[in-house]
């Protein structure tokens, strides 16, 4: 009997264990199904908020993997801080011809319509291009000096073109020291033999042009006939020096300077009818030099001849009409001057 009772008790225990296991499995499966349904509903709501219609038959517990959601385009507003927005747009279209990009009028920003993955690629290129451009400071001195005094320093100059010279050896690419020449100019200025015409300081972006013009406006008159009435018009002709510089930083020490110099002077006046017109003499040069920052490039070559007429006469007799010319004498005194440019870049 005891053995029989033991067998009955063991059978009851096994049945209870099976029942408990079945109940626990049912609970676990029910919880899993409820959680999956809840996640699927949230995913459907998310797709709906993003503009897609929810589908109860395609619930997805991992909506980030859904291909339709990732391929949906959005419109992004991107602000450009440093570069030209038009240049950024052209660079993007050259790399991605099918990109939908437009400029926002009156602002430095772009509107980009793309999928998140494509927008990420566009944004990487934008950040690469939209960087601050370094500034270059150019100190410029324009000095006028007697050419005769300058002749003793001819050995420091190399010929460029059109009569221009520089303290730069075009064959070796080396800059001749400017310190002795600078001290010489200071001495000549103290003695009144050199005059500083201008000392401008220009700021420009790297690889951007900076220009300065020093000269005169020469007036001349032209006449036109309107209804048998002559009408005179005054015109002005720009003469002097036009200097354009374009710096290009090569490394932490050197800078390349593209230089364009245009010098024009009135050579003579020609008569046409009762009017006179100026005839210009123009010289141009273009060169490129690499110099260390803080060093001085010296450009010379603007020659100008100035003269004065001196009238000498015998007192009283020289003032007699007609006969007075026999007691007078004229003499001309002339001087040739040179204009020096001293260019010192910093960055």
């Amino acid at each position: 009997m005891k053995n029989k009772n033991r067998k009955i008790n063991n059978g009851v225990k096994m049945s209870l264990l099976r029942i408990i296991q079945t109940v626990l499995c049912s609970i676990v499966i029910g919880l899993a199904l409820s959680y999956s349904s809840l996640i699927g509903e949230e995913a459907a709501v998310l797709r709906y908020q993003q503009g897609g219609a929810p589908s109860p038959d395609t619930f997805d517990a991992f909506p980030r993997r859904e291909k339709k959601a990732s391929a949906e385009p959005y419109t992004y507003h991107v602000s450009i801080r440093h570069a030209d927005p038009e240049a950024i747009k052209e660079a993007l279209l050259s790399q991605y011809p099918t990109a939908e990009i437009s400029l926002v009028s009156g602002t430095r920003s772009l509107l980009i319509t793309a999928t998140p993955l494509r927008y990420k690629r566009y944004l990487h290129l934008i950040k690469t291009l939209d960087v601050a451009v370094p500034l270059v400071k150019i100190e410029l001195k324009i000095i006028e000096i007697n050419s005769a005094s300058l002749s003793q320093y001819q050995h420091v100059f190399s010929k460029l073109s059109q009569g221009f010279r520089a303290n730069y050896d075009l064959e070796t690419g080396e800059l001749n020291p400017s310190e002795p020449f600078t001290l010489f100019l200071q001495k000549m200025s103290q003695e009144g033999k050199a005059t500083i015409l201008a000392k401008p300081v220009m700021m420009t972006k790297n690889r951007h042009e900076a220009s300065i013009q020093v000269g005169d406006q020469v007036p001349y008159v032209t006449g036109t006939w309107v209804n048998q009435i002559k009408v005179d018009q005054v015109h002005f002709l720009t003469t002097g020096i036009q200097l354009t510089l374009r710096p290009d930083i090569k490394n932490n020490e050197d800078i390349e300077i593209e230089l364009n110099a245009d010098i024009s002077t009135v050579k003579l006046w020609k008569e046409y009818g009762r009017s006179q017109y100026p005839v210009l003499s123009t010289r141009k040069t273009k060169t490129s030099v690499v110099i260390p920052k803080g060093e001085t490039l010296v450009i010379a070559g603007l020659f100008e001849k100035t003269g004065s007429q001196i009238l000498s006469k015998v007192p009283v007799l020289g003032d007699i009409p007609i006969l007075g010319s026999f007691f007078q004498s004229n003499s001309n005194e002339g001087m040739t001057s040179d204009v020096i440019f001293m260019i010192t870049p910093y960055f």
Side-chain angles (χ1 to χ4, degrees), residues 120-177:
K120 187 176 180 180
R121 296 173 182 172
Y122 298 163
L123 192 60
H124 177 73
L125 180 57
I126 290 173
K127 289 181 178 180
T128 303
L129 298 175
D130 188 24
V131 294
V133 180
L135 292 177
V136 178
K137 182 177 76 170
I138 301 175
E139 293 184 355
L140 179 63
K141 288 184 180 180
I142 305 175
I143 303 172
E144 184 179 25
I145 186 173
N146 189 297
S147 295
S149 302
L150 190 63
S151 60
Q152 58 182 300
Y153 276 87
Q154 295 298 323
H155 63 281
V156 304
F157 292 106
S158 297
K159 292 183 179 180
L160 298 178
S161 64
Q162 297 289 320
F164 290 92
R165 296 160 292 154
N167 64 326
Y168 185 83
D169 194 329
L170 295 176
E171 295 182 358
T172 63
E174 295 181 355
L175 190 71
N176 294 325

Side-chain angles (χ1 to χ4, degrees), residues 76-94:
Y76 302 89
H77 181 273
V78 182
S79 297
I80 307 300
R81 297 184 58 189
H82 305 289
D84 181 11
E86 179 68 29
I88 295 290
K89 177 185 174 182
E90 292 177 0
L92 285 169
L93 290 176
S94 65

Side-chain angles (χ1 to χ4, degrees), residues 54-75:
S55 176
D57 298 330
T58 56
F59 288 145
D60 188 358
F62 304 95
R64 286 176 294 179
R65 294 184 179 179
E66 186 166 319
K67 295 182 179 180
K68 292 183 179 180
S70 63
E72 183 178 358
Y74 298 88
T75 299

Side-chain angles (χ1 to χ4, degrees), residues 258-285:
E258 293 182 4
L259 182 144
N260 287 274
D262 187 340
I263 298 174
S264 60
T265 57
V266 177
K267 184 178 181 180
L268 55 89
W269 290 82
K270 280 192 173 182
E271 292 188 2
Y272 182 79
R274 296 183 179 179
S275 301
Q276 288 187 335
Y277 299 92
V279 177
L280 289 183
S281 173
T282 304
R283 287 182 293 144
K284 297 181 180 180
T285 187

Side-chain angles (χ1 to χ4, degrees), residues 29-56:
I29 293 172
L31 290 174
L33 292 174
S34 299
Y35 180 76
S36 176
S37 177
L38 179 62
I39 296 299
E41 290 176 359
E42 291 180 354
V45 171
L46 178 61
R47 290 196 300 273
Y48 180 76
Q49 291 175 347
Q50 294 176 345
S55 176

